Each structure stands twice: as C-alpha cells, then as structure tokens.
Amino acid sequence: MSIIIGLVTCLFCIGLSPITLGQAPNISPSPNPEESENILPSPSLSPLNNPENSPLKQAEKDPEIQELMERFNIEVEAAIKLKDKKSELDALGLFSLSSGQLGNLQYQAIKLDGRIVMPVATSIDEDNNLLRLRVKTIENTLDEIVKRNINPHDIDVYPSILNRETVLVISPKTELEIVETEIKQTWLVLTVTSADSRLYGIPIPVLAKISSSVVHEALEEAWQARQPHSLLRQGVISFGILILMITASWLLLASQKYLVPRKKHKISMFWNRKLLLVGHAIIWFPGMGFILRDFPDSYEIGRWLLENTFTVSASIISFLLISRILDIFVKFGEAQEKLKSIPIRVFVQLFYILVASLFILIIIANSINQPLTNILATVGAGSAILMLIFKDSIMGFTAGLQLAANRMIALGDWIEMPKYGADGFVDEVNLFTVKVLNWDNTITSIPTYALISDSFKNWRIMFESGGRKIQRAVYIDMTSIKFCDQEMLEEFSTMKYIGEDIKQHLSNNNPEPINEKFLTNIGVFRAYVMAYLEAHPKVSSGPYFLVRQLHPTAQGLPIEVYVYCNDTAWSHYEEIQSGIFDHVLCVIPQFHLRVFQSPSSYDLNAIRMRDDSTETSLD
C-alpha cells in the first residue's frame, strides 16, 4: 500500500455527480499508453552496446521495478523514474501526512475506509476550502461505489480527455461476458491538473494512467473487505485477539498482589494501582487497534490506536512516575515544621499542569503527524479563547501563586471566613481550592481567588506570639456601687492580693481621699481583679493588661478584663478563661456588689412569695 501511496496523486477540479450513460459527456479516447510512456525522457538510461550489461537489463531484475512494470503496464524506463520519484517523495514525508505543504503547493489525501488512496494538490495561493471540498466530493463518490457493492471486476477506471483536460472515468465493462450487468452509470472521478503533476514531478498522461490503476486497486480492496467470507474471517481473528486480551488482563490482576504492597502504610515508588491500570491500557489499546483496523468502517480508529499506543502509554507511565516522585516530595515537605509555612503543593501542582500539558501536546502531535512546534503555535494562537473558557481556573491559578509568594496562609493556620462558613485549620492548599477542617470536623472548600478578593481572619500570629487574648466583661448592678466606710475597708484588708495595700492605706489615716482607688467598692473590686490576674500563672503581662470600666448600659456597668493568656491551645485557653471568671463572679458579693441580670421566673416567684408573707404578717 505504501508503494501505491508513494506513486500517485491528483487534484479534483470537477464535481462528482453521477453521469448516466444516456447523459454521458463527449469523452475522447485516452492517449495511447505507448505515447504516454514516451513522455518520460530517459537519456541517462539509453541502452549500451551490450544489451546484457545495460542499466535497463539490470534494472529489470529488480523485484520492485518488475512490480511497477506489471502493475502499471509501463516500460522499464518509466518504472525506474517512478521508483526514484517515490523514494524522493517519501523522504519529503508527502504520504505520511493527511495534509501539508510542499513548496508552493498544498495537498490533502483522499481516503477510502480511512486508508489514504492518494494526495491531490493545488496552489498555495488558492483557497484551502476549495481543496477540502474537492477531496470530500471525491471521497463521497468512492464511498457510493463501495456501498453499492459494485464488483471492481465489473468496472473500468481509465483516463480520458474532457474539454481539453485529463480526467479519470469509472464505467461498466463492455465485454460480452458482463453485458447483462446491472451497472448503468458512469462516474467522472477527478481531473488531473498541473498542480498534481508538479507535486509528483510526473507528466499528466503518465500520472493519469497510474492514478486510474491506484483508484481501481483501492476500490477492489474496499470491496474485498466487505465480502461475507472476509468479514467472517476477520470476526474469528478478532474473537481470538479478544480472548488473548482478556487472558492477559486476568493474569495482570492475578499478579497484582505481588506487584502492589499489601500493607497500606508501605509505599511503593514504581508499582501502584494506577500503573496497573496503565498495564491494562497497554493490553487493550493495541488489541482493539488490531481488531478495528481490519474492519472497513473502523480502520482509521484502529490505525490510530496502533500508531499511538506506545506514545500514549509511555506518556502516561512517565507522568505517573513523575507524579509519584512529586507526591513523596510534597509529603516530606509538609512533614517538616520549617517548610509548613510554604505551600509546596501549589508549586507541585503547577509543575503537574506543565508536565501534563506537555505530554498531551506530544500525544496530539504524534496523532495528527504534526511537529510539536506547530501544535504549540496553534495553542498560542488560541490562548485568548482558552483564557475565556478557563477563566475561573486561571484566576485560581494566579491567586494560588499570590498566596504562595506572600505566605498569606499555610498548612495548619486557623482561619475564619464567615462568608463561606469556614472556621478551622487549613488542611490543604492547592492551585484552585483551599480546604479548611472546621471545628465540627466538616470540610469547607474555598476558591483560592476568594482569599485574595475577600477578607478573612488568620490566627497564625496569635499562635506564633504565644499569647491569646481574653476579653470579657461582667455587668455590675449600679445600685450596689457605693463609697467604702471604715468597716468595709477593714473587711477588705483581710482579703488576699489587696489586703496589704488596704492595711497600708488605713495606717495613713487619710480623711476620705477622693483620688484613691479604695474610695468605692467598685474601685476596690477592680484593684482586686488586677492583682489577682497579675498573680495568675497563666496570664501574660503583655502586650495589654487592663481591667477597665466601659460605658454604662441599661444592663449595668461593664467591668471588662482585657489580658492575654500564655497558653494558646483552645481547650486550655477556655479552661483558664472560665476559671478566671468563675473566681470573679464568686468574689463580687464580697465587695457588696451585685451582678446584673434580667429578672427570671425564680426572681418573680421570690417577689410573689415576699409579698404574700408581708400580707400575712399584716393580717
């Protein structure tokens, strides 16, 4: 088949509408084959004086030359020229691509059942759509002949002259043995143009003669492939290949326990279940290629599978090995305390994308027989469309890089983002999402770009500083606030933390000093709380240490504690904070103060019982 492809090409300039015999055009007889053959000059191959030692006689012994002579019914000189031309065009890659350019010509291959029959050409200055339309029209005509199950032995394909142009014609044979044939139609297949002649470097008459032979052979091959005996034979072969593939897959599954580590905690770098899936792909891809290639309607799919199995499998295996190595690198980095602040996974995923894109482009380039540079140029030209389609992914990608570069978040950071219901530790940071493990053990996924466009709270500095803020207030009933008399001060002097200060104050005998903190019971209470917190082992002395009054409200006078706990663990922090305010609430009555709270049913019931007892006593 490669010889056929390498020898022929032609350009279709006229439509393929069937022409019945009653409407047959005025087609002049084809040129004499001997005259066509004489068009090819052969000055360098003229016979020598000794016929046995002449280059022509030696060339006749070449099997390939003999095949060309018998196949196309040409002399040895023309066969030698065709062989040289075939080698030259094969070296240029003319018949390995479905389309392309050669000099100032553009060409596209005619296909029948997915097989390349012959390329046709046109000038590079002409519209490429015209070339595609001609090729499609010719393919439709050949498909029509094949689908009508016309025996190629009942038809002739020959060159003729129509309107001073060389054309290929398909018509029924007129021999006596097939005069009763049901074929009553003649087809004009194509016009052999000067562009085709320039593409091959062969004169038009010789090219037309060769093209007619190639088209006839392509029709015969397509017809043979559709015969019942051929389909039955191929079905039996396909069934055998299917059995072999199933057996190979079963053996691969049976050997899984020897290839994959049995214990989950053991990590195998080169063998895992993903690679076993690739093993199944290596079995089934070429197998299905062999099966589909020998059926007419699926030849092209089967050929693609066979040609690209190695590239696809090698690319997938290489990517899995690289990803496995990178996964180990990520796990090692995330286990190091010094590297936790760096979102290594973001950079690794960026490398993933680049490697995966490269392998995909390699597979595509190999599939369509185009250089990788051409594919990269096409991708670059379509980058604007890709940016619109993958807008969200690109935004997440750039946001992930910003988060990584600025170290805005890191693994283990406690963040709050009420808009997305996130309140917990960062569990994973990648290019597109940030996963937060909430306190209720739920996972919240936040788009990475949301952390750039919206605000969030990060508690990392709190943990790094070693101090966690305690800011809480108790509300004092303002009717219980009063000046301290001598008796109250003597009572307070027995208290821990402030007793010595009050005793010193009493020993000075200052008559009601207005600016003294022991003037009121609320002032003594604040001094007590301040001293208590200073003596507390879990309360830090900085950066702020306050016990202050806030603006009075309808609920009373707020006394706020604003200090820092030196234990940032949540459970310890809550325990320390609760212990502090347990003590504060219990000590408030000792300063003749009352905590304000709204009346409850208990308070209302106590009032009712007091009123009842008053009425009873009056009675």
Side-chain angles (χ1 to χ4, degrees):
M1 191 62 186
S2 62
I3 298 176
I4 299 174
I5 296 172
L7 296 176
V8 297
T9 184
C10 48
L11 176 66
F12 302 90
C13 299
I14 60 175
L16 300 180
S17 303
I19 303 175
T20 60
L21 290 177
Q23 299 173 340
N26 184 15
I27 302 176
S28 61
S30 61
N32 190 339
E34 296 180 358
E35 297 176 359
S36 300
E37 295 164 7
N38 293 333
I39 297 175
L40 288 174
S42 57
S44 62
L45 297 176
S46 59
L48 301 176
N49 294 331
N50 187 357
E52 297 297 331
N53 297 329
S54 66
L56 295 180
K57 290 296 183 180
Q58 295 178 1
E60 287 180 356
K61 299 178 182 180
D62 188 347
E64 188 173 355
I65 298 295
Q66 294 176 0
E67 180 186 357
L68 293 175
M69 294 171 60
E70 295 175 0
R71 183 176 178 185
F72 300 113
N73 191 22
I74 56 178
E75 296 296 334
V76 60
E77 296 180 6
I80 293 173
K81 289 290 185 181
L82 290 178
K83 178 183 177 182
D84 294 339
K85 181 59 64 175
K86 172 187 176 299
S87 301
E88 178 185 349
L89 296 177
D90 281 344
L92 295 174
L94 178 64
F95 305 109
S96 61
L97 304 177
S98 297
S99 62
Q101 294 182 0
L102 187 61
N104 61 347
L105 298 175
Q106 55 181 339
Y107 63 88
Q108 184 172 345
I110 302 168
K111 295 183 179 181
L112 180 62
D113 289 342
R115 297 177 174 88
I116 294 179
V117 178
M118 53 190 298
V120 293
T122 185
S123 174
I124 198 172
D125 298 329
E126 298 184 19
D127 189 0
N128 190 33
N129 292 327
L130 294 177
L131 179 60
R132 294 178 183 175
L133 179 60
R134 292 171 182 171
V135 170
K136 188 63 177 178
T137 307
I138 297 170
E139 290 177 346
N140 291 340
T141 301
L142 298 179
D143 287 339
E144 177 190 352
I145 296 173
V146 170
K147 291 179 180 178
R148 289 177 60 178
N149 198 26
I150 298 176
N151 192 333
H153 299 289
D154 296 341
I155 58 176
D156 277 330
V157 183
Y158 56 89
S160 294
I161 301 299
L162 175 64
N163 297 332
R164 297 183 180 181
E165 293 183 334
T166 303
V167 297
L168 292 188
V169 179
I170 299 177
S171 65
K173 289 184 177 180
T174 57
E175 285 79 358
L176 294 177
E177 60 271 15
I178 58 171
V179 72
E180 300 298 332
T181 180
E182 296 181 356
I183 305 174
K184 304 296 182 182
Q185 189 172 345
T186 297
W187 293 269
L188 281 178
V189 182
L190 57 92
T191 299
V192 182
T193 65
S194 60
D196 303 322
S197 177
R198 295 199 308 272
L199 180 68
Y200 291 98
I202 300 175
I204 291 178
V206 178
L207 183 58
K209 181 179 178 181
I210 297 174
S211 300
S212 61
S213 176
V214 170
V215 171
H216 191 276
E217 290 178 0
L219 291 173
E220 184 174 2
E221 183 178 0
W223 180 79
Q224 288 287 352
R226 286 172 167 79
Q227 298 308 302
H229 66 277
S230 177
L231 295 175
L232 178 61
R233 183 191 68 226
Q234 188 55 38
V236 173
I237 295 175
S238 300
F239 181 75
I241 295 175
L242 185 63
I243 295 298
L244 290 176
M245 290 191 298
I246 293 175
T247 304
S249 292
W250 179 81
L251 291 175
L252 187 60
L253 288 174
S255 61
Q256 177 176 343
K257 62 181 179 180
Y258 301 106
L259 300 177
V260 179
R262 299 183 183 181
K263 295 183 179 180
K264 294 183 178 179
H265 66 274
K266 289 185 178 180
I267 299 176
S268 176
M269 185 171 179
F270 296 102
W271 289 103
N272 54 43
R273 288 174 175 81
K274 293 180 181 179
L275 289 179
L276 290 180
L277 293 177
V278 176
H280 290 292
I282 296 175
I283 294 172
W284 283 87
F285 276 11
M288 294 304 299
F290 281 114
I291 292 174
L292 297 175
R293 186 188 61 174
D294 292 326
F295 289 97
D297 295 328
S298 59
Y299 170 82
E300 195 162 6
I301 299 176
R303 182 182 61 83
W304 186 91
L305 288 175
L306 285 177
E307 291 180 354
N308 295 279
T309 295
F310 176 78
T311 303
V312 173
S313 302
S315 299
I316 293 176
I317 292 175
S318 301
F319 177 73
L320 290 178
L321 289 176
I322 292 173
S323 65
R324 186 60 184 161
I325 295 173
L326 292 177
D327 285 342
I328 295 175
F329 176 74
V330 169
K331 291 179 180 179
F332 173 78
E334 292 179 347
Q336 303 297 316
E337 290 294 334
K338 295 182 180 180
L339 299 177
K340 278 190 175 181
S341 60
I342 303 175
I344 300 175
R345 192 177 295 269
V346 172
F347 298 105
V348 170
Q349 285 187 329
L350 174 60
F351 189 71
Y352 273 162
I353 294 174
L354 296 178
V355 172
S357 301
L358 177 62
F359 283 131
I360 290 173
L361 292 178
I362 291 174
I363 294 172
I364 294 175
N366 186 73
S367 301
I368 62 178
N369 292 324
Q370 291 290 335
L372 182 60
T373 54
N374 292 353
I375 303 299
L376 293 174
T378 304
V379 173
S383 58
I385 299 176
L386 294 176
M387 289 177 66
L388 291 176
I389 296 175
F390 301 103
K391 180 185 68 173
D392 293 338
S393 299
I394 294 174
M395 290 175 60
F397 171 75
T398 55
L401 293 181
Q402 291 182 20
L403 290 176
N406 300 325
R407 298 189 180 184
M408 298 174 65
I409 58 173
L411 291 178
D413 284 0
W414 174 18
I415 66 172
E416 291 184 23
M417 202 168 188
K419 180 179 178 179
Y420 292 91
D423 184 9
F425 289 102
V426 175
D427 186 60
E428 181 180 328
V429 180
N430 55 49
L431 278 177
F432 306 108
T433 59
V434 174
K435 295 182 180 180
V436 178
L437 179 62
N438 298 315
W439 300 115
D440 56 357
N441 279 337
T442 58
I443 296 289
T444 299
S445 295
I446 306 173
T448 308
Y449 63 83
L451 295 171
I452 301 296
S453 59
D454 298 332
S455 62
F456 67 96
K457 182 187 290 187
N458 192 335
W459 293 81
R460 183 202 307 168
I461 301 300
M462 180 268 294
F463 288 104
E464 293 177 353
S465 64
R468 189 166 183 176
K469 182 178 68 176
I470 297 176
Q471 184 179 8
R472 185 180 293 183
V474 292
Y475 288 82
I476 304 298
D477 188 350
M478 287 187 288
T479 61
S480 63
I481 299 175
K482 56 186 175 180
F483 287 105
C484 294
D485 53 20
Q486 188 71 17
E487 182 180 353
M488 292 174 61
L489 291 176
E490 291 178 357
E491 179 184 351
F492 297 156
S493 64
T494 61
M495 291 183 175
K496 190 178 180 180
Y497 306 120
I498 60 172
E500 295 299 327
D501 291 340
I502 294 178
K503 289 178 181 179
Q504 184 179 0
H505 170 75
L506 293 175
S507 63
N508 292 334
N509 295 321
N510 294 328
E512 297 184 359
I514 297 177
N515 295 325
E516 290 282 345
K517 59 184 176 181
F518 301 127
L519 183 64
T520 61
N521 58 350
I522 191 68
V524 177
F525 171 70
R526 286 192 300 106
Y528 175 86
V529 174
M530 181 72 74
Y532 168 73
L533 294 175
E534 289 176 349
H536 200 292
K538 292 297 184 180
V539 175
S540 175
S541 58
Y544 300 103
F545 196 99
L546 299 173
V547 178
R548 58 177 180 170
Q549 291 186 13
L550 300 180
H551 187 75
T553 66
Q555 287 77 34
L557 179 66
I559 301 297
E560 184 183 68
V561 173
Y562 194 108
V563 294
Y564 282 83
C565 173
N566 56 21
D567 194 337
T568 59
W570 186 27
S571 58
H572 298 168
Y573 163 78
E574 293 293 345
E575 179 66 26
I576 294 168
Q577 180 176 239
S578 299
I580 290 174
F581 281 89
D582 287 347
H583 181 83
V584 169
L585 292 172
C586 291
V587 81
I588 284 176
Q590 299 183 25
F591 295 93
H592 304 274
L593 296 171
R594 293 188 302 272
V595 177
F596 179 88
Q597 69 177 18
S598 299
S600 63
S601 59
Y602 176 81
D603 298 323
L604 297 176
N605 188 43
I607 294 173
R608 185 181 61 81
M609 293 180 62
R610 186 181 59 185
D611 293 341
D612 291 343
S613 62
T614 302
E615 292 177 359
T616 303
S617 62
L618 291 175
D619 293 339

